[in-house]
Amino acid sequence: MAKIEINVRVNGVEHRAEVEPRLLLVHFLRESLRLTGTHIGCDTSHCGACTVVIDGRAVKSCTMFAAQVDGREILTVEGLERDGKLHPLQEGFFQEHGLQCGYCTPGMLMTGYAFLNGNTAPTEDEIRHAISGNLCRCTGYVNIVKAYQYAAARLREGGV
Amino acid sequence: MIPRGFEYFAPRALNEAVSLLQQLGPDAKILSGGQSLIPMMKLRLASPPYIVDINRIPDLNYVSEANGSLRIGALVRESDLEISPLVGSGYRLLADTTKVIADPLVRNQATVCGNLAHGDPANDHPATMLALEATIVAISPRGEREISIRDFFTGLFSTALQPDEILKEIRVPTPPPRSGGAYLKMERKVGDYATAGVAVQITLDEAGVCQRAGVGLTNVSFIPLKAAKVEDFLKGKPLDAAAIKQASEIAAAESQPMDDIRGSADYKRDLVRVLTARALKQAIDRAKGGA
């Protein structure tokens, strides 16, 4: 099959690549760009470990073709830290013990990033609704919710 | 899981997309949100040789009211509908439905029109659109045509759309005063398909008598089911407890579920009964101005 050219901005860096149309976005990120922070979990659109933010919206990168992101802007977990400083969400996961095995964490962070961009004063219900597409098999949801709340408080103070 | 290879097209205009479909023939598949198509391709349940990605076509992302109906463009995502004040205030049944489709990440990508065009009786909008008496607008090289939702679902994963037609818009009639609707879905976990789901839309007169009733059922038949017997039963009746009870029993009898991993046919029929009664009560409350 003929390859197609895509131009995409990932974590602020422009990339030009020739991709097979069937290449999934998650494979493009992990294998072509070597950004392995984005995880492949279930590979069946259920678990959310592969969540990335495209033009401000959190989506599952295992359920999208790389060809679809031509001309778009992607943020992955590698792009959260700025100038050696953790994003308030990353800090929240650290402070509140928001991870055990850490497998779901990149997806949880990216969902949280998009969610808190639109709402820095969420209720617990809103947080639980927002993460309902991200599964944590350690079932550490209580602390994940706390981590979101920590980050929300920091963002309200003008953390980042 | 990696899909079979395919040729990819990303037209920039609707007429370009339509002529591509005509040129490529019935093996081409349209990619909009891709949240049903891509998983099927990864599982190799579908291996289309040509993909026509319509995401780059401008002016298909709108939710607006015009000429007595709500218009939902082909590229409106479920999450757009979820946050639309217009939908939240005037189309509660639709707002209920979009909130329980898949999960928030899938809803950021999945389209409302795709939820119908996929023709899956397990999807949620088909029952809702049947209850709301929606109209489908399809575009092809022959121009535009309107399809009544009653005639839209023709079989499992089959719709009235021709291979060279694109579902361009859904039109939902604006409900008259004293209307209310509700969608109730039983799912094992967030993101699962419905074990059963019930969509109800009613209009009452000033005395509380049912003027109009639309009832759609999710995932209890090979095709999305319009519960016509329930609708006929409700029309012209005051919707008291006895009528609700009888209507819910008719709905259960009208459903055609099968045994599967989500439950036995008997269990699902009983779910339809319970959910119909609850959805009707909520729809009546809303028609009377309640939440």
Side-chain angles (χ1 to χ4, degrees):
Chain A
M1 292 289 163
K3 289 196 172 183
I4 48 168
E5 185 187 309
I6 59 167
N7 291 279
V8 58
R9 200 174 166 83
V10 182
N11 302 332
V13 181
E14 291 288 349
H15 295 273
R16 208 180 127 263
E18 303 257 308
V19 298
E20 234 189 309
R22 65 172 172 172
L23 182 70
L24 295 166
L25 177 59
V26 69
H27 292 135
F28 173 71
L29 293 171
R30 288 177 56 85
E31 288 156 28
S32 307
L33 303 187
R34 304 302 296 167
L35 293 170
T36 54
T38 302
H39 289 170
I40 300 173
C42 66
D43 208 10
T44 55
S45 322
H46 288 101
C47 79
C50 66
T51 304
V52 299
V53 175
I54 304 180
D55 294 332
R57 288 195 188 207
V59 299
K60 293 176 178 176
S61 63
C62 80
T63 315
M64 238 182 137
F65 296 116
Q68 291 176 268
V69 298
D70 180 34
R72 304 186 70 180
E73 173 138 21
I74 301 180
L75 187 72
T76 71
V77 69
E78 289 90 345
L80 283 181
E81 187 185 314
R82 298 276 158 84
D83 308 320
K85 253 187 78 191
L86 293 180
H87 185 275
L89 259 168
Q90 294 172 302
E91 211 182 292
F93 272 71
F94 171 60
Q95 293 294 343
E96 299 291 346
H97 196 71
L99 62 152
Q100 291 178 48
C101 82
Y103 205 88
C104 72
T105 312
M108 287 287 183
L109 288 168
M110 300 322 291
T111 295
Y113 177 87
F115 171 64
L116 294 177
N117 259 348
N119 182 1
T120 54
T123 63
E124 182 176 339
D125 264 6
E126 286 171 337
I127 294 174
R128 288 185 178 270
H129 181 79
I131 62 171
S132 58
N134 294 84
L135 302 181
C136 167
R137 292 307 303 268
C138 308
T139 67
Y141 296 106
V142 168
N143 287 351
I144 291 167
V145 171
K146 284 183 190 161
Y148 271 46
Q149 287 166 332
Y150 178 101
R154 282 288 316 281
L155 290 166
R156 285 198 300 275
E157 292 158 12
V160 166
Chain B
M1 293 184 297
I2 296 167
R4 283 208 179 86
F6 56 86
E7 220 173 314
Y8 174 84
F9 302 87
R12 309 274 164 164
L14 203 49
N15 58 4
E16 197 190 326
V18 165
S19 53
L20 260 173
L21 289 176
Q22 194 180 32
Q23 185 190 317
L24 297 169
D27 289 339
K29 278 298 274 184
I30 297 166
L31 174 66
S32 57
Q35 303 300 288
S36 296
L37 177 63
I38 296 175
M40 286 181 88
M41 290 173 69
K42 289 170 71 178
L43 293 165
R44 302 206 175 189
L45 293 171
S47 296
Y50 310 112
I51 287 289
V52 178
D53 179 355
I54 61 169
N55 284 281
R56 283 164 213 286
I57 299 172
D59 306 325
L60 290 178
N61 184 8
Y62 54 87
V63 181
S64 59
E65 256 176 346
N67 302 326
S69 60
L70 181 79
R71 283 139 201 264
I72 303 169
L75 290 178
V76 173
R77 314 287 161 177
E78 295 292 352
S79 54
D80 296 328
L81 214 56
E82 203 177 346
I83 59 167
S84 159
L86 188 58
V87 172
S89 59
Y91 303 83
R92 297 292 293 278
L93 168 54
L94 209 46
D96 278 5
T97 308
T98 198
K99 283 193 186 89
V100 294
I101 289 172
D103 64 53
L105 306 171
V106 171
R107 289 200 291 277
N108 275 342
Q109 187 64 12
T111 62
V112 182
C113 289
N115 198 275
L116 294 188
H118 190 46
D120 186 347
N123 279 356
D124 298 284
H125 279 307
T128 291
M129 297 301 176
L130 282 166
L132 287 166
E133 301 275 9
T135 297
I136 304 302
V137 181
I139 184 166
S140 75
R142 299 170 295 286
E144 282 188 19
R145 69 171 177 133
E146 294 185 5
I147 309 166
S148 161
I149 193 74
R150 288 166 184 262
D151 305 323
F152 188 69
F153 303 105
T154 54
L156 187 63
F157 296 116
S158 303
T159 69
L161 290 172
Q162 298 299 308
D164 60 353
E165 278 183 317
I166 295 178
L167 199 171
K168 184 189 164 197
E169 183 179 280
I170 301 167
R171 290 184 191 157
V172 176
T174 303
R178 291 184 300 278
S179 293
Y183 184 65
L184 290 178
K185 171 186 186 177
M186 175 68 92
E187 54 185 358
R188 296 175 303 174
K189 58 175 271 293
V190 169
D192 192 20
Y193 291 110
T195 305
V198 178
V200 170
Q201 178 73 22
I202 53 151
T203 303
L204 305 175
D205 70 7
E206 278 163 19
V209 173
C210 179
Q211 294 294 293
R212 191 205 153 267
V215 180
L217 306 179
T218 300
N219 215 8
V220 286
S221 172
F222 280 115
I223 61 169
L225 208 60
K226 188 165 175 62
K229 286 178 192 159
V230 184
E231 295 175 351
D232 289 344
F233 169 80
L234 290 168
K235 267 172 239 166
K237 284 202 179 55
L239 299 183
D240 55 16
I244 291 171
K245 184 168 184 289
Q246 215 177 327
S248 67
E249 283 159 5
I250 296 169
E254 213 169 355
S255 68
Q256 302 155 17
M258 302 230 310
D259 297 339
D260 66 14
I261 49 163
R262 292 185 180 84
S264 66
D266 284 346
Y267 169 67
K268 292 179 187 179
R269 252 190 301 275
D270 205 46
L271 257 184
V272 169
R273 181 182 64 80
V274 172
L275 295 178
T276 301
R278 288 182 191 165
L280 264 171
K281 276 180 205 150
Q282 197 169 6
I284 294 164
D285 282 352
R286 286 174 172 176
K288 291 177 175 168

